[in-house]
Amino acid sequence: MLVNFKMIYNIIISSLVKILLGVFVVKYLAWSLGVEGFGLIGQLMTLVAVICMTSGLGVGSGLIKHLSPSQVGNHDRSEWFSVAITLSVLFSCVVFCIVFFGAEHISSRFLSGNFAAPIRVFAFIQFAVGIGTLILAEASSRGCSQIFRNANIVGSLIGALVLTLLVNHYGIDGAAYGVVTMPVIMGFVIIALYLRSRPSFEICLPKFNYKKSKALLSYSGLTLIGAISVPAAQVLMRDTLSDLYGWGFIGIWQALIKISDVYMQLIGVLIIHYALPRFSRDDLKTSVIELKSFAVFISTVSIVGLLFVYFTRNQIITVLFTPEFSGAVKLFVPQLIGDFFRILCSVISFWFVSRGVVKVGLLYEFGQGFLLYLFFEVLISRSVMNAPLLAHVISYSLILFLLVLSFFMYYRRGVK
C-alpha cells in the first residue's frame, strides 16, 4: 500500500498550530520562571501528562482497533462509542478520588510541597480529557480529521492564552493553574465541536455491554502502563538528580525533554491517527506492507528532522529558552539518538497492537520505563552526570532490537 500523503499532510497541518503554541508556552514558562522554576513546573507537567494519558481508561486504541477493520453499522458504532464513554466516566470518578484526596501527598512527594490546590482543581475538571480522547479516537477510525484539526487550533489558542494570562498575573502559581487547565480546555473544545457536528445526546446515556467492555478493557493495561512507565521513571530520576545536582540541572534536562516532546507529539499523532487504522485493516501480508511503507516514510522524515534539530540546536535553545539553558546544547546528541530509536520502537509496538498481540505492547510500555530507570541507576552509581540521557539511548536501542526480533518470529509463524 502506498502512503496516503494527503491524509498525512492534513494531520501534520492540523498539528502545527498546537505544536507552535506548545513551543510558545515552553518559551514563556522558561523566560518567566527561570531554570529552577521551569524544572519544578516541568515536574507538574509530567504528573498532569500521566493523568491525561490514562484518561479514557486507555481504551482509545481499542476503540480504533474495533471500529477500523470492519464496516460496522451506525447503531453498532454508536454502541461501541457509548460503552467506551461510560467506562471513561467511571474511571474518571476513580481518578478524581485519588487525585483530590491525595493532592497533599502528591505535592509533598514530587513537587517540594507546592501546587496542592491546582492539583485539586485538576481533579474536578479532568473528566473532559478522557471523553475528548475517545471522540478523537472514534473520528480517526472513520478517517475524519475535521474535529481533530479544529480542536487543535481552537483548544490550543484558548489554552495558551489562559496560561499566559495566569503566569503574567500570578507567577509560578498561575503557571501551575495554567498547566492543569490547558488539557482540560482542549477536552471541552473537542466535546463542543463533536456535539455541534453530530447533535446526538445518545452517547451521554450510560450503556454497558459485557463483550464490548471486555474487548475495550483489554487495551487499558497497554495505555495505562504506557502512561505511567516513562514518566514514573523520570520522576524517580529527578528525585535522585535533585539531591545530587539540584533543580538547575533538572531544568536543563527538562528543556531537552520538552524539545523532544514537540516532535514526538507529531510522530505520535501520525502513528495513532494514521498508521494504527491502516495496520488494523487487512490480513497479515498486507499489514506488513503497510508497516514497511510507513516505517520507511517515518524513518526518512525522522532522520531529516532530527538532523535539522541538531544543526540548529543553538538557535533552538536561544529561541525557546534563555541563556541559562545553554548547557543543554552539548546534550542534544544522546537525546536525539535515543528519540530515533524510540520512534521506531513505537511504530513496531503499535503494529503488534493492531494485530491484537497486546502482550508485546504491554512488555514494550513497561520495559521502556523499567529499563530507563535501571540503566540510569547503573550509570548514576558510577557518577555519570549525563546518566539520564545515556540511559535513554541504551534502553531504546535494546528494546528496538527485541521488537525487531519479535516481529520476524511472529511473521514467520504467521505465513506458515
Side-chain angles (χ1 to χ4, degrees), residues 354-416:
S354 75
R355 308 311 303 166
V357 190
V358 181
K359 290 182 180 179
V360 172
L362 286 170
L363 289 173
Y364 164 66
E365 298 294 356
F366 174 78
Q368 58 178 336
F370 174 77
L371 292 176
L372 180 64
Y373 186 67
L374 174 65
F375 288 124
F376 167 78
E377 283 293 324
V378 172
L379 293 169
I380 205 68
S381 66
R382 300 185 179 182
S383 302
V384 179
M385 187 173 182
N386 296 335
L389 296 159
L390 295 177
H392 179 62
V393 175
I394 296 171
S395 59
Y396 281 107
S397 60
L398 176 59
I399 292 171
L400 179 60
F401 170 77
L402 294 175
L403 282 173
V404 171
L405 182 62
S406 300
F407 166 77
F408 282 111
M409 293 174 62
Y410 177 84
Y411 182 72
R412 287 186 62 184
R413 283 200 299 266
V415 296
K416 286 183 178 180

Side-chain angles (χ1 to χ4, degrees), residues 124-136:
F124 272 105
I125 58 179
Q126 46 82 31
F127 293 83
V129 179
I131 296 175
T133 299
L134 295 179
I135 289 174
L136 291 184

Side-chain angles (χ1 to χ4, degrees), residues 224-290:
L224 296 178
I225 292 175
I228 296 171
S229 180
V230 172
Q234 291 176 347
V235 167
L236 294 173
M237 291 156 67
R238 287 189 192 108
D239 279 349
T240 302
L241 291 171
S242 65
D243 294 334
L244 294 175
Y245 306 118
W247 284 98
F249 177 80
I250 293 176
I252 292 175
W253 176 42
Q254 191 70 46
L256 286 172
I257 293 176
K258 295 307 174 188
I259 293 171
S260 173
D261 286 346
V262 171
Y263 50 80
M264 290 301 298
Q265 176 185 345
L266 180 57
I267 297 297
V269 168
L270 286 172
I271 293 174
I272 294 174
H273 294 280
Y274 171 79
L276 182 57
R278 294 171 72 89
F279 291 166
S280 304
R281 190 177 300 156
D282 301 301
D283 61 18
L284 178 60
K285 290 186 177 180
T286 307
S287 182
V288 169
I289 293 173
E290 292 279 8

Side-chain angles (χ1 to χ4, degrees), residues 136-253:
L136 291 184
E138 192 275 338
S140 296
S141 71
R142 294 183 285 111
C144 175
S145 60
Q146 184 176 358
I147 293 177
F148 184 84
R149 182 188 66 239
N150 293 341
N152 276 338
I153 295 173
V154 178
S156 298
L157 281 170
I158 297 175
L161 177 61
V162 169
L163 182 138
T164 302
L165 292 173
L166 288 171
V167 174
N168 187 50
H169 286 84
Y170 303 105
I172 193 169
D173 289 330
Y177 282 102
V179 165
V180 302
T181 302
M182 285 187 69
V184 180
I185 290 174
M186 180 69 72
F188 280 120
V189 169
I190 294 170
I191 294 170
L193 290 172
Y194 181 83
L195 293 178
R196 181 182 178 186
S197 63
R198 300 177 65 184
S200 171
F201 293 93
E202 183 182 354
I203 63 169
C204 300
L205 300 176
K207 186 169 292 186
F208 297 94
N209 180 295
Y210 177 78
K211 184 177 180 180
K212 288 182 171 61
S213 296
K214 183 178 179 181
L216 291 172
L217 288 173
S218 66
Y219 289 82
S220 294
L222 178 69
T223 304
L224 296 178
I225 292 175
I228 296 171
S229 180
V230 172
Q234 291 176 347
V235 167
L236 294 173
M237 291 156 67
R238 287 189 192 108
D239 279 349
T240 302
L241 291 171
S242 65
D243 294 334
L244 294 175
Y245 306 118
W247 284 98
F249 177 80
I250 293 176
I252 292 175
W253 176 42

Side-chain angles (χ1 to χ4, degrees), residues 316-333:
I316 289 174
I317 291 296
T318 301
V319 171
L320 292 184
F321 301 98
T322 66
E324 293 179 278
F325 292 83
S326 59
V329 172
K330 61 184 179 181
L331 303 177
F332 266 77
V333 172

